[in-house]
Each structure stands twice: as C-alpha cells, then as structure tokens.
Amino acid sequence: MTTQPLHHRDSDRRVIQHLETQVSRLFSAEAALHRLTDVLGITVEPDTDGRYDLAALRAQAQDAIEQRAVDQALATTPTPTILTASGVPMLLTFPTWHCIDDRDIAQALSRICRFGGHSRRFYSVAQHCVHVSEIVPREDALAALLHDATEAYIGDLVSPLKSMLPAYKAIEQRLWSAIAQRFSVDPVLPASVKQADLQLLATERRDLLPASPMEWPCLKGVEPLEEPIEPWSPDIAALAWGLRLEELLSEREEA
C-alpha cells in the first residue's frame, strides 16, 4: 500500500477547503440575492446553467427602488394642495376630475413660458397647445389642445429635469387621468399629437431660441413648420385657448 506524501495531502486539503469556501460563498450570495428580491418585491430566476442575468437584476432593482421612492412621495401628509385661480383647491397627489376647470387651465398655461423662460420672447404653453391642435387630424385636435394641461397645476419643467423626477411624472400622470376624464378624451395620446408636438418643438427652436450647435436627438428627422411663430401676449393666449376648447367641444357635441 502506497502512502501519499504529507505535503500532497496538505495540498489536497487546501484545495478542498478552497472549494468548500467558494461553495459556501455561492450559497451565501444566492441567499442574499433572494433576501434582496424579497425586500424589493421582484422575481429573478437563474438560467439553465444556474446563472443570473445581473444586468436585468440591476434594472429591476433600480425600478423597484424608484417606485418605492415614488410611493413614499405620493403618501406625503398633509396632501400637497394648491389654490387654483377659480378658488378651488387642487389635491396634487389625489386629483379628481370635477376639480378641473378649463378657465384655470387657460389662465395658468397662458402665463407659463415655454423652455423655462429661455426663449428670446415670452411664448406661452397655451399658445403652443393651440398650435399643436391646429396641425393634427381634426379628430385628435381636442387631445392635442389638452396635451400639456397638467402644467396648469404643476408647472412646465424642462424635459431633461423632468426625466429625473419619477414622483413628478407620477403626479403628472394622475393629473392627466383626471383631465382626460373631465373632457372625455382617451388618456392615451394619439401618435399624431406626439408627432405634432415635435414639429412645433422644431419650429419653436428655430424661431424662439438662441442659435446653438447643440444637438437635440428628439428632433432628428423632424422638419419645422414653414410659417414662423409670432408669440401672443398672455391675455391673447388665454382667450385663444378657451375659444379653441369651446370650438372643439361644440364640434364633438354636434357630431
């Protein structure tokens, strides 16, 4: 019987101990992973080789953490409330359709300047909405006129900042649902409105913003309108928005 040299046996033990340590770490890591997914309320499964998609897991975890932050923000007490021009309080996190007043929307949008006020001349959100409603198919005009109506209650944040504020986007969606219910429009905006919004944006950049080489990826392939934009005063913009709303609601009733 041949006896294995002592140094060989020690080497084997070290290999075995190393493997045991690695296995233990793997089990600990998997246990930690399951604890994390339980806390975040997400589900992950290994593939056929027992491996996890770390990129997918990271994305799910980020979404879950973001949603938790949104839920906490929306659960703030007391409920954040503003007083509208008509004297009706609006609960921002729990808006209801019967608190939506078209006069409030017209006044507020006519006094909010697009682009955070960085246009060469004052140019209101109300005027922007009227123009968008004029270049979409007639059946989509009401949705186009209303597409930025939430800003009457929560302001017009510049898009790069808005994309970083999930709680703002959640409140915006709740307000839009209430507005859509108030005026009986589909809460899902037609594709024509989104396209017209971009075409107006391209036109506004040409006519109202300082010349700049900065690229706007969202405008790639989008042509501006031929007719230049002439900004209206806030009073004219409010009147135009209100008259356009009356026109489109009357048409719908007659149809």
Side-chain angles (χ1 to χ4, degrees):
M1 180 176 179
T2 303
T3 304
Q4 189 178 34
L6 181 60
H7 67 276
H8 285 177
R9 292 199 298 271
D10 288 344
S11 176
D12 289 346
R13 277 197 294 270
R14 284 196 295 271
V15 170
I16 292 172
Q17 288 173 351
H18 176 72
L19 290 174
E20 289 176 341
T21 299
Q22 294 303 312
V23 170
S24 176
R25 286 176 177 173
L26 285 173
F27 279 119
S28 297
E30 188 164 25
L33 174 62
H34 286 300
R35 285 197 296 272
L36 176 64
T37 57
D38 287 344
V39 168
L40 295 178
I42 60 179
T43 303
V44 292
E45 297 292 340
D47 61 19
T48 54
D49 295 326
R51 296 172 179 165
Y52 291 90
D53 185 337
L54 294 182
L57 173 61
R58 187 181 298 111
Q60 286 190 64
Q62 289 175 339
D63 288 345
I65 292 170
E66 183 178 283
Q67 186 57 52
R68 179 169 293 191
V70 169
D71 292 342
Q72 290 175 346
L74 296 183
T76 299
T77 54
T79 301
T81 306
I82 64 169
L83 185 63
T84 63
S86 61
V88 176
M90 171 62 75
L91 280 63
L92 297 181
T93 50
F94 297 100
T96 55
W97 69 267
H98 57 77
C99 291
I100 304 295
D101 190 312
D102 57 276
R103 295 166 298 178
D104 289 336
I105 297 174
Q107 175 173 315
L109 295 188
S110 71
R111 298 180 182 183
I112 298 174
C113 189
R114 290 267 289 167
F115 307 107
H118 294 283
S119 52
R120 293 196 299 267
R121 296 171 59 188
F122 178 86
Y123 173 70
S124 70
V125 175
Q127 182 175 353
H128 165 82
C129 291
V130 171
H131 290 329
V132 173
S133 77
E134 293 171 336
I135 63 172
V136 296
R138 197 68 178 180
E139 64 270 19
D140 297 336
L142 181 56
L145 184 69
L146 296 168
H147 80 280
D148 280 339
T150 57
E151 296 174 10
Y153 303 99
I154 54 176
D156 178 22
L157 283 185
V158 290
S159 296
L161 176 60
K162 186 186 298 186
S163 64
M164 300 170 62
L165 301 175
Y168 176 95
K169 291 189 290 185
I171 292 172
E172 181 181 44
Q173 185 55 51
R174 290 187 178 190
L175 279 165
W176 171 244
S177 295
I179 291 167
Q181 184 178 5
R182 165 67 177 81
F183 296 102
S184 301
V185 298
D186 192 331
V188 179
L189 285 174
S192 66
V193 174
K194 298 177 182 179
Q195 182 58 37
D197 198 24
L198 289 174
Q199 193 171 15
L200 251 296
L201 180 61
T203 310
E204 291 159 356
R205 179 177 185 180
R206 181 196 67 196
D207 296 343
L208 303 169
L209 294 181
S212 169
M214 186 175 76
E215 293 185 359
W216 290 15
C218 64
L219 294 181
K220 186 176 181 180
V222 178
E223 292 295 327
L225 300 172
E226 291 185 8
E227 186 175 348
I229 293 173
E230 183 63 33
W232 303 333
S233 70
D235 287 345
I236 294 298
L239 179 62
W241 192 95
L243 290 175
R244 181 65 167 158
L245 178 67
E246 289 183 12
E247 174 192 354
L248 294 173
L249 291 177
S250 296
E251 281 185 5
R252 188 173 66 181
E253 290 177 359
E254 294 171 0

